[in-house]
Amino acid sequence: MASLLQPDRVLYLVHGEKKIRSPLSTLYFCRYCSDLRSLECVSHEVDSHYCPSCLENMPSAEAKLKKNRCANCFDCPCCMHTLSTRATNIPAPLPDDPSKTAMKKAYYLACGFCRWTSRDVGMADKSVASGGWQEPENPHTQRINKLIEYYQQLAQREKLDRDRKKLARRRPYMPLAFSQHTIHVVEKYGLGTRLQRQRPGAPITSLAGLSLKEGEDQKEMKIEPAQALDEVEPLPEDCYTRPINLPEVTTLRQRLLQPDIQPAGASQLHPKHKHLLIKRSLRCRKCEHNLSKPEFNPTSIKFKIQLVAVSYIPEVRIMSIPNLRFQKECQVLLTLTNPVENITHVNLVGCEEGDPEDINSTAKVMVPTMELVLAGKDAAAEYDELAEPQDFQDDPDVVAFRKSNKIGFFIKVVPQREEDGDVTVSFKIRHDFRNLAAPIRPSEEGDAPTEAVWLTHHVELSLGPLVA
Amino acid sequence: MTLLMLRRICNRSSKKLKSINKMSDKQSAQKSAKIAAGAVVCVESEIRGDVTIGARTVVHPKARIIAEAGPIVIGEGNLIEEQALIINSYPEIITPDSLFEGVEPKTMTIGINNVFEVGCMSQALKIGDNNVIESKADLGRNMILTSGCIIGACCQVNTCEVIPENTVIFGSGCQRRVQTERPQPQTLQLDFLMKILPNYHHLKKTVKTSSAATPAKN
């Protein structure tokens, strides 16, 4: 019966730029807008960089310099696992007395998963445990750097031209000093802030972040264009007759993970530094409040701000489904859980005919018409023996059971289509929400501190296939 | 002195009886395990059928070595860990024509310095030296491992082929690659286990070398 608890069985509809249906566990709730938000209607911002194996935090500037790679950790070029450093004792001649040999420690990199070692590609053992390993130099680095600098300048010049054109139109309204300042400010921060979202039609915006430092003179850079060659290196003569040594050929994945070298043979696969991961914070696009902000420390999984939907919206879950038969009325048992600490009133409303949000349902549903009352979530309830159970007069036809902040209720489903797919029903759930985030207005002291706002959500349930 | 001589005569005659019994046993299929001296085989391990275990081999408790369809010969210096299953069983598909009499008993040979990690299952008829079969790996009957092969964890290899030397099979898709050096024999681990296991487990009796040695004692 664990399949009934799968998250994609119960979907909530999010009203955003796109109508997104996703389980409540993946949604966020903006309590300033009092609305559900999904990952696609929030803006993602990079908080910090860290290495997944050594959990070392890295400031963003340093991460950019090191191309988002960790300095200490390596990835196996064969299976992309993390490499570990192993030590062996080798006899080495003492520096003072060449005739005597002493045991010295030599370190090499080894993969625990595919048993690749750094000796396989001919990398000599190093005498220091970390920091001795170098990635091979890319022969084209100089040319690439020159090209990047040239295009950086080009992008900046084009941006200046564009801004000058815009300012030329608006000159009567804006002083010149202000316009120069905005250019510098906007360029210094680059992409990522709200000031500089991707604007369609903007030229080479990806390079706009690589801005020149303030005060640097704009040198005119010239690059040599790439020269086309007439003669191409011919294939070796035994290209078609030489038998392939299959273990030596690298897979496409192994090859493309090192795009600068792209070795064709396994004996040229050098380990690469491990890629950094990011911690990101989410921000509501409408009210610009933070919805999710993780802690800075990479070893901590907690959040400074965590406005997830499951802690504000009552959650519907499927508890048991009888055999669903075409055009026969069946009773499905659902549970409703109250995540907040105060009593919540829930009204269920079926979808009307021609509801634009109701596109997936394949069955008619009869939801209970009475208001369901959910008790507040009390963390100490299981330890408090003297507390008397609250008495809510429950209609036994509607409410199957009640357990602290959870309630089980019946809905009647009549499948309407005899097709092969799942039976899907949808209804609207309307509950009261007390906004604790809103500031208390000092003028109205007589009122209740928080007023209830009634929120409506569209819920879709996938009940499984029909039984013949 | 006479008492000693009497005791020796009794021993010699009892040994003769035992050897006579053994001769009669040899005519029927040999059902006992022959464990060489120096091997450490825990009592809790299950050894069924005609199994020969070489010296310096360590068999952990709950390991199972089952010789149903033929004898198993295990060499020296092997390490067979818990819940490992080495089984010489009948092939799964037995047509009504080839009944049990028609199937010849084939000997399963396992070389030296192999490691059978926890929970692995090996049905391969021929395993060479210095191989490592990692946890929960599954070897089919028609495989032949040469030396230095490593069958990765949870890899099911059931083809009919000879695995070349120093091959590593790893990953969910059973990718292969060749490593440049063979895995090292686990001598340190074997020594440690041979010291520690007898402290906590009873061991199966090893077979003494030969009765020809005893007259030399006189």
Side-chain angles (χ1 to χ4, degrees):
Chain A
M1 274 306 145
S3 59
L4 292 177
L5 293 174
Q6 289 296 315
D8 48 352
R9 286 286 192 131
V10 179
L11 303 176
Y12 283 67
L13 176 68
V14 177
H15 301 269
E17 290 159 6
K18 290 183 267 187
K19 305 264 183 231
I20 296 170
R21 288 167 164 77
S22 60
L24 198 66
S25 48
T26 59
L27 295 175
Y28 294 86
F29 181 71
C30 181
R31 59 182 184 182
Y32 304 93
C33 310
S34 294
D35 207 0
L36 282 174
R37 297 268 175 259
S38 79
L39 279 177
E40 299 201 21
C41 32
V42 294
S43 60
H44 301 239
E45 292 160 8
V46 172
D47 235 14
S48 60
H49 298 264
Y50 68 99
C51 170
S53 70
C54 62
L55 291 178
E56 184 202 331
N57 201 1
M58 212 182 275
S60 306
E62 196 187 332
K64 210 156 128 186
L65 206 64
K66 295 200 180 152
K67 307 206 174 150
N68 291 333
R69 305 253 173 195
C70 178
N72 306 324
C73 308
F74 286 89
D75 268 343
C76 173
C78 186
C79 65
M80 298 90 201
H81 194 61
T82 312
L83 289 176
S84 49
T85 312
R86 296 217 188 127
T88 53
N89 282 323
I90 51 159
L94 278 176
D96 312 328
D97 200 351
S99 54
K100 285 193 204 156
T101 55
M103 300 302 279
K104 251 204 315 188
K105 275 207 184 292
Y107 299 95
Y108 63 97
L109 295 171
C111 173
F113 188 57
C114 68
R115 311 271 177 146
W116 181 92
T117 61
S118 57
R119 294 170 177 166
D120 284 353
V121 282
M123 288 169 79
D125 295 349
K126 301 279 184 280
S127 50
V128 282
S130 61
W133 306 99
Q134 303 290 335
E135 278 187 23
E137 262 285 317
N138 184 6
H140 307 293
T141 324
Q142 282 218 349
R143 170 86 177 149
I144 292 178
N145 283 342
K146 253 175 125 179
L147 285 171
I148 290 180
E149 271 181 42
Y150 174 70
Y151 279 108
Q152 250 175 266
Q153 278 207 349
L154 199 62
Q156 198 174 28
R157 215 182 308 138
E158 287 195 13
K159 185 195 279 296
L160 277 173
D161 288 340
R162 195 168 28 101
D163 287 337
R164 221 173 281 139
K165 274 186 219 156
K166 266 198 227 157
L167 291 167
R169 274 181 265 132
R170 285 190 280 163
R171 189 169 284 177
Y173 307 106
M174 230 187 270
L176 198 59
F178 175 59
S179 65
Q180 289 286 2
H181 172 68
T182 43
I183 291 169
H184 278 294
V185 159
V186 157
E187 272 179 86
K188 206 157 76 162
Y189 292 121
L191 280 171
T193 57
R194 305 184 289 284
L195 301 166
Q196 265 210 320
R197 292 269 163 71
Q198 277 275 346
R199 278 180 291 248
I204 322 177
T205 41
S206 55
L207 291 176
L210 309 166
S211 55
L212 288 179
K213 295 186 195 105
E214 262 190 353
E216 207 176 280
D217 294 331
Q218 284 188 349
K219 287 175 258 178
E220 274 294 323
M221 278 207 62
K222 288 219 172 103
I223 50 161
E224 299 158 9
Q227 283 174 347
L229 294 169
D230 266 342
E231 279 180 16
V232 182
E233 215 179 85
L235 283 174
E237 279 179 8
D238 59 350
C239 179
Y240 293 108
T241 52
R242 183 183 45 192
I244 298 180
N245 181 11
L246 210 53
E248 176 66 14
V249 177
T250 50
T251 67
L252 265 184
R253 189 158 181 243
Q254 289 167 355
R255 219 179 279 194
L256 296 176
L257 272 178
Q258 305 195 11
D260 40 3
I261 312 170
Q262 293 190 29
S267 49
Q268 289 141 33
L269 278 176
H270 287 267
K272 281 223 123 185
H273 286 279
K274 205 163 181 64
H275 216 72
L276 297 176
L277 296 181
I278 56 161
K279 284 204 168 197
R280 77 178 102 164
S281 58
L282 302 171
R283 195 182 282 272
C284 174
R285 284 207 186 133
K286 293 195 183 138
C287 63
E288 306 286 356
H289 277 106
N290 253 328
L291 293 178
S292 160
K293 198 171 167 76
E295 284 212 8
F296 186 71
N297 191 0
T299 54
S300 163
I301 57 165
K302 297 193 184 165
F303 289 83
K304 286 185 198 155
I305 301 174
Q306 194 184 18
L307 299 178
V308 279
V310 277
S311 36
Y312 292 96
I313 310 286
E315 190 180 356
V316 176
R317 278 193 177 184
I318 306 175
M319 186 147 173
S320 78
I321 307 177
N323 287 329
L324 299 164
R325 285 174 218 280
F326 177 55
Q327 297 261 334
K328 297 240 169 20
E329 191 182 270
C330 342
Q331 255 197 357
V332 175
L333 179 59
L334 303 178
T335 57
L336 200 61
T337 315
N338 180 16
V340 293
E341 284 171 349
N342 36 27
I343 294 184
T344 311
H345 304 267
V346 176
N347 278 327
L348 299 166
V349 178
C351 289
E352 291 161 20
E353 289 285 325
D355 194 347
E357 292 166 357
D358 184 13
I359 48 176
N360 281 336
S361 66
T362 59
K364 259 200 290 197
V365 61
M366 268 76 77
V367 288
T369 45
M370 50 174 272
E371 190 175 80
L372 299 167
V373 183
L374 297 172
K377 180 166 152 182
D378 191 3
E382 51 181 312
Y383 305 110
D384 195 1
E385 289 146 3
L386 300 173
E388 283 163 17
Q390 292 165 302
D391 193 19
F392 302 97
Q393 265 94 29
D394 290 329
D395 182 2
D397 285 336
V398 170
V399 174
F401 65 89
R402 181 181 287 273
K403 187 179 167 187
S404 64
N405 64 333
K406 191 156 61 161
I407 180 176
F409 63 98
F410 293 106
I411 60 168
K412 295 187 176 48
V413 172
V414 183
Q416 297 291 311
R417 282 190 224 165
E418 208 176 358
E419 55 193 20
D420 272 338
D422 281 351
V423 174
T424 324
V425 296
S426 48
F427 52 86
K428 297 207 195 304
I429 170 172
R430 204 170 151 256
H431 69 102
D432 59 342
F433 167 66
R434 285 193 164 70
N435 196 352
L436 302 162
I440 302 169
R441 287 169 288 183
S443 55
E444 304 171 43
E445 286 166 15
D447 269 347
T450 48
E451 284 174 13
V453 175
W454 285 84
L455 302 174
T456 311
H457 308 288
H458 178 92
V459 180
E460 278 181 15
L461 302 166
S462 161
L463 296 177
L466 284 171
V467 168
Chain B
M1 279 302 283
T2 46
L3 274 170
L4 276 169
M5 289 193 62
L6 274 171
R7 231 180 265 162
R8 274 187 206 137
I9 293 166
C10 286
N11 282 345
R12 248 183 266 172
S13 54
S14 63
K15 274 192 190 127
K16 276 199 187 140
L17 279 169
K18 271 190 207 162
S19 57
I20 290 168
N21 282 338
K22 273 196 191 152
M23 293 286 282
S24 61
D25 276 337
K26 266 184 197 164
Q27 280 158 7
S28 56
Q30 274 196 329
K31 295 273 164 75
S32 60
K34 289 194 292 285
I35 303 174
V40 173
V41 180
C42 298
V43 154
E44 292 91 346
S45 65
E46 182 186 334
I47 303 188
R48 271 197 273 146
D50 179 14
V51 177
T52 313
I53 299 183
R56 296 198 73 233
T57 297
V58 175
V59 179
H60 283 236
K62 294 296 177 193
R64 293 160 62 206
I65 308 177
I66 298 173
E68 275 179 349
I72 298 182
V73 176
I74 301 183
E76 303 189 355
N78 294 303
L79 176 56
I80 302 168
E81 295 190 358
E82 284 87 347
Q83 301 197 350
L85 171 61
I86 301 176
I87 180 166
N88 186 357
S89 65
Y90 297 108
E92 280 172 16
I93 304 168
I94 303 178
T95 57
D97 302 330
S98 69
L99 293 173
F100 293 147
E101 289 100 39
V103 177
E104 276 178 26
K106 287 192 197 161
T107 311
M108 178 188 279
T109 24
I110 296 179
I112 61 175
N113 288 332
N114 297 303
V115 176
F116 292 83
E117 287 193 15
V118 175
C120 70
M121 167 151 107
S122 161
Q123 290 180 311
L125 280 178
K126 201 163 173 327
I127 297 182
D129 313 327
N130 289 314
N131 300 305
V132 176
I133 301 173
E134 289 189 7
S135 303
K136 296 222 170 190
D138 205 334
L139 278 182
R141 190 173 166 85
N142 298 317
M143 303 284 301
I144 297 179
L145 293 183
T146 47
S147 51
C149 303
I150 299 185
I151 315 290
C154 268
C155 288
Q156 290 182 333
V157 211
N158 206 347
T159 50
C160 183
E161 64 173 308
V162 177
I163 308 245
E165 290 201 7
N166 291 340
T167 309
V168 180
I169 299 180
F170 64 98
S172 56
C174 289
Q175 279 173 284
R176 296 194 186 183
R177 55 172 288 272
V178 178
Q179 54 176 12
T180 46
E181 34 184 55
R182 48 168 57 180
Q184 294 167 337
Q186 303 278 341
T187 33
L188 270 176
Q189 172 85 337
L190 281 173
D191 288 337
F192 176 72
L193 285 171
M194 284 167 70
K195 262 189 287 174
I196 292 281
L197 272 178
N199 291 343
Y200 298 96
H201 294 279
H202 292 290
L203 303 177
K204 288 206 177 163
K205 285 220 164 94
T206 59
V207 171
K208 292 211 177 99
T209 38
S210 58
S211 44
T214 40
K217 276 185 198 166
N218 291 334

